[in-house]
Short mmCIF file of all heavy atoms in Angstrom, two decimals:
data_model
loop_
_atom_site.label_atom_id
_atom_site.label_comp_id
_atom_site.label_asym_id
_atom_site.label_seq_id
_atom_site.Cartn_x
_atom_site.Cartn_y
_atom_site.Cartn_z
N ASP A 124 -14.63 -18.29 -14.01
CA ASP A 124 -14.62 -18.01 -12.58
C ASP A 124 -13.99 -19.15 -11.78
O ASP A 124 -13.24 -18.89 -10.84
CB ASP A 124 -16.04 -17.70 -12.08
CG ASP A 124 -16.36 -16.22 -12.26
OD1 ASP A 124 -15.47 -15.39 -11.97
OD2 ASP A 124 -17.47 -15.89 -12.72
N GLY A 125 -14.28 -20.39 -12.17
CA GLY A 125 -13.70 -21.53 -11.46
C GLY A 125 -12.19 -21.52 -11.53
O GLY A 125 -11.49 -21.69 -10.52
N ARG A 126 -11.66 -21.26 -12.72
CA ARG A 126 -10.20 -21.24 -12.88
C ARG A 126 -9.58 -20.07 -12.13
O ARG A 126 -8.51 -20.19 -11.53
CB ARG A 126 -9.84 -21.19 -14.37
CG ARG A 126 -10.09 -22.54 -15.05
CD ARG A 126 -9.88 -22.48 -16.53
NE ARG A 126 -8.48 -22.27 -16.90
CZ ARG A 126 -8.02 -22.51 -18.13
NH1 ARG A 126 -8.82 -22.98 -19.07
NH2 ARG A 126 -6.76 -22.29 -18.42
N ILE A 127 -10.26 -18.93 -12.17
CA ILE A 127 -9.74 -17.74 -11.47
C ILE A 127 -9.72 -18.00 -9.96
O ILE A 127 -8.72 -17.72 -9.28
CB ILE A 127 -10.59 -16.49 -11.81
CG1 ILE A 127 -10.41 -16.13 -13.28
CG2 ILE A 127 -10.22 -15.33 -10.91
CD1 ILE A 127 -11.40 -15.10 -13.80
N ASP A 128 -10.81 -18.57 -9.44
CA ASP A 128 -10.87 -18.85 -7.99
C ASP A 128 -9.76 -19.81 -7.59
O ASP A 128 -9.12 -19.63 -6.55
CB ASP A 128 -12.25 -19.42 -7.62
CG ASP A 128 -13.33 -18.35 -7.65
OD1 ASP A 128 -12.97 -17.16 -7.49
OD2 ASP A 128 -14.51 -18.67 -7.86
N ALA A 129 -9.52 -20.84 -8.42
CA ALA A 129 -8.49 -21.82 -8.08
C ALA A 129 -7.11 -21.16 -8.07
O ALA A 129 -6.30 -21.39 -7.15
CB ALA A 129 -8.52 -22.97 -9.10
N ALA A 130 -6.84 -20.29 -9.05
CA ALA A 130 -5.53 -19.63 -9.11
C ALA A 130 -5.36 -18.69 -7.92
O ALA A 130 -4.29 -18.62 -7.30
CB ALA A 130 -5.39 -18.86 -10.42
N MET A 131 -6.44 -17.98 -7.55
CA MET A 131 -6.34 -17.06 -6.41
C MET A 131 -6.11 -17.83 -5.13
O MET A 131 -5.32 -17.41 -4.28
CB MET A 131 -7.61 -16.20 -6.31
CG MET A 131 -7.67 -15.13 -7.40
SD MET A 131 -8.89 -13.84 -7.08
CE MET A 131 -10.39 -14.78 -7.03
N ALA A 132 -6.77 -18.98 -4.99
CA ALA A 132 -6.58 -19.78 -3.78
C ALA A 132 -5.13 -20.27 -3.70
O ALA A 132 -4.52 -20.23 -2.63
CB ALA A 132 -7.54 -20.97 -3.79
N ARG A 133 -4.58 -20.68 -4.84
CA ARG A 133 -3.19 -21.16 -4.84
C ARG A 133 -2.22 -20.09 -4.37
O ARG A 133 -1.23 -20.38 -3.71
CB ARG A 133 -2.79 -21.56 -6.27
CG ARG A 133 -3.11 -22.99 -6.57
CD ARG A 133 -2.52 -23.37 -7.90
NE ARG A 133 -2.33 -24.81 -7.93
CZ ARG A 133 -2.27 -25.52 -9.04
NH1 ARG A 133 -2.39 -24.93 -10.22
NH2 ARG A 133 -2.09 -26.82 -8.99
N LEU A 134 -2.47 -18.84 -4.74
CA LEU A 134 -1.55 -17.76 -4.39
C LEU A 134 -1.98 -17.04 -3.11
O LEU A 134 -1.34 -16.06 -2.72
CB LEU A 134 -1.50 -16.74 -5.55
CG LEU A 134 -0.45 -16.98 -6.64
CD1 LEU A 134 0.95 -16.99 -6.03
CD2 LEU A 134 -0.67 -18.23 -7.41
N GLY A 135 -3.05 -17.48 -2.48
CA GLY A 135 -3.50 -16.85 -1.24
C GLY A 135 -3.95 -15.41 -1.45
O GLY A 135 -3.71 -14.54 -0.61
N ILE A 136 -4.63 -15.14 -2.56
CA ILE A 136 -5.05 -13.76 -2.82
C ILE A 136 -6.56 -13.65 -2.99
O ILE A 136 -7.05 -12.66 -3.53
CB ILE A 136 -4.35 -13.16 -4.06
CG1 ILE A 136 -4.51 -14.09 -5.26
CG2 ILE A 136 -2.89 -12.87 -3.78
CD1 ILE A 136 -4.08 -13.45 -6.57
N ALA A 137 -7.30 -14.66 -2.51
CA ALA A 137 -8.76 -14.63 -2.68
C ALA A 137 -9.36 -13.35 -2.08
O ALA A 137 -10.30 -12.79 -2.61
CB ALA A 137 -9.39 -15.86 -2.04
N HIS A 138 -8.74 -12.88 -0.97
CA HIS A 138 -9.28 -11.68 -0.32
C HIS A 138 -9.04 -10.41 -1.14
O HIS A 138 -9.59 -9.36 -0.84
CB HIS A 138 -8.66 -11.52 1.07
CG HIS A 138 -7.16 -11.34 1.04
ND1 HIS A 138 -6.30 -12.34 0.65
CD2 HIS A 138 -6.38 -10.27 1.33
CE1 HIS A 138 -5.05 -11.89 0.70
NE2 HIS A 138 -5.08 -10.65 1.11
N LEU A 139 -8.21 -10.51 -2.18
CA LEU A 139 -7.95 -9.32 -3.00
C LEU A 139 -8.79 -9.30 -4.28
O LEU A 139 -8.67 -8.39 -5.09
CB LEU A 139 -6.46 -9.28 -3.40
CG LEU A 139 -5.44 -9.30 -2.26
CD1 LEU A 139 -4.03 -9.35 -2.82
CD2 LEU A 139 -5.61 -8.06 -1.38
N ALA A 140 -9.68 -10.29 -4.44
CA ALA A 140 -10.39 -10.49 -5.72
C ALA A 140 -11.03 -9.22 -6.28
O ALA A 140 -10.97 -8.96 -7.48
CB ALA A 140 -11.44 -11.58 -5.57
N GLU A 141 -11.65 -8.43 -5.41
CA GLU A 141 -12.38 -7.26 -5.92
C GLU A 141 -11.58 -5.96 -5.79
O GLU A 141 -12.11 -4.88 -6.02
CB GLU A 141 -13.74 -7.12 -5.21
CG GLU A 141 -14.64 -8.35 -5.34
CD GLU A 141 -14.83 -8.82 -6.79
OE1 GLU A 141 -14.96 -7.95 -7.68
OE2 GLU A 141 -14.82 -10.05 -7.02
N ARG A 142 -10.30 -6.05 -5.41
CA ARG A 142 -9.48 -4.84 -5.28
C ARG A 142 -8.94 -4.42 -6.64
O ARG A 142 -8.77 -5.24 -7.55
CB ARG A 142 -8.30 -5.10 -4.33
CG ARG A 142 -8.69 -5.31 -2.87
CD ARG A 142 -8.77 -4.01 -2.08
NE ARG A 142 -7.55 -3.23 -2.14
CZ ARG A 142 -6.52 -3.36 -1.31
NH1 ARG A 142 -6.58 -4.25 -0.34
NH2 ARG A 142 -5.45 -2.59 -1.43
N ASP A 143 -8.62 -3.13 -6.78
CA ASP A 143 -7.99 -2.61 -7.99
C ASP A 143 -6.52 -3.02 -7.96
O ASP A 143 -5.80 -2.65 -7.02
CB ASP A 143 -8.15 -1.08 -7.98
CG ASP A 143 -7.39 -0.40 -9.12
OD1 ASP A 143 -6.64 -1.10 -9.83
OD2 ASP A 143 -7.56 0.82 -9.28
N PRO A 144 -6.05 -3.79 -8.95
CA PRO A 144 -4.68 -4.32 -8.89
C PRO A 144 -3.63 -3.24 -8.66
O PRO A 144 -2.65 -3.46 -7.96
CB PRO A 144 -4.48 -4.97 -10.26
CG PRO A 144 -5.84 -5.23 -10.78
CD PRO A 144 -6.75 -4.21 -10.18
N LEU A 145 -3.83 -2.07 -9.26
CA LEU A 145 -2.77 -1.07 -9.17
C LEU A 145 -2.77 -0.31 -7.84
O LEU A 145 -1.92 0.54 -7.63
CB LEU A 145 -2.82 -0.11 -10.37
CG LEU A 145 -2.55 -0.80 -11.71
CD1 LEU A 145 -2.34 0.23 -12.79
CD2 LEU A 145 -1.37 -1.75 -11.68
N THR A 146 -3.69 -0.61 -6.95
CA THR A 146 -3.62 0.02 -5.63
C THR A 146 -3.07 -0.97 -4.59
O THR A 146 -3.04 -0.66 -3.41
CB THR A 146 -5.00 0.52 -5.14
OG1 THR A 146 -5.86 -0.62 -5.01
CG2 THR A 146 -5.61 1.51 -6.10
N LEU A 147 -2.65 -2.15 -5.04
CA LEU A 147 -2.10 -3.13 -4.11
C LEU A 147 -0.63 -2.82 -3.83
O LEU A 147 0.01 -2.09 -4.59
CB LEU A 147 -2.21 -4.53 -4.70
CG LEU A 147 -3.63 -5.01 -5.05
CD1 LEU A 147 -3.56 -6.37 -5.71
CD2 LEU A 147 -4.48 -5.06 -3.80
N SER A 148 -0.10 -3.42 -2.76
CA SER A 148 1.33 -3.25 -2.48
C SER A 148 2.13 -4.04 -3.51
O SER A 148 1.58 -4.89 -4.22
CB SER A 148 1.64 -3.75 -1.08
OG SER A 148 1.77 -5.16 -1.09
N GLY A 149 3.43 -3.76 -3.59
CA GLY A 149 4.29 -4.41 -4.58
C GLY A 149 4.21 -5.93 -4.49
O GLY A 149 4.08 -6.62 -5.50
N GLY A 150 4.27 -6.47 -3.27
CA GLY A 150 4.25 -7.92 -3.10
C GLY A 150 2.90 -8.52 -3.46
O GLY A 150 2.82 -9.60 -4.03
#
Side-chain angles (χ1 to χ4, degrees):
Chain A
D124 274 318
R126 286 175 68 163
I127 293 168
D128 287 335
M131 287 195 299
R133 271 188 156 156
L134 270 301
I136 52 169
H138 62 292
L139 303 176
E141 303 308 321
R142 292 272 305 272
D143 173 353
L145 296 192
T146 63
L147 301 176
S148 80

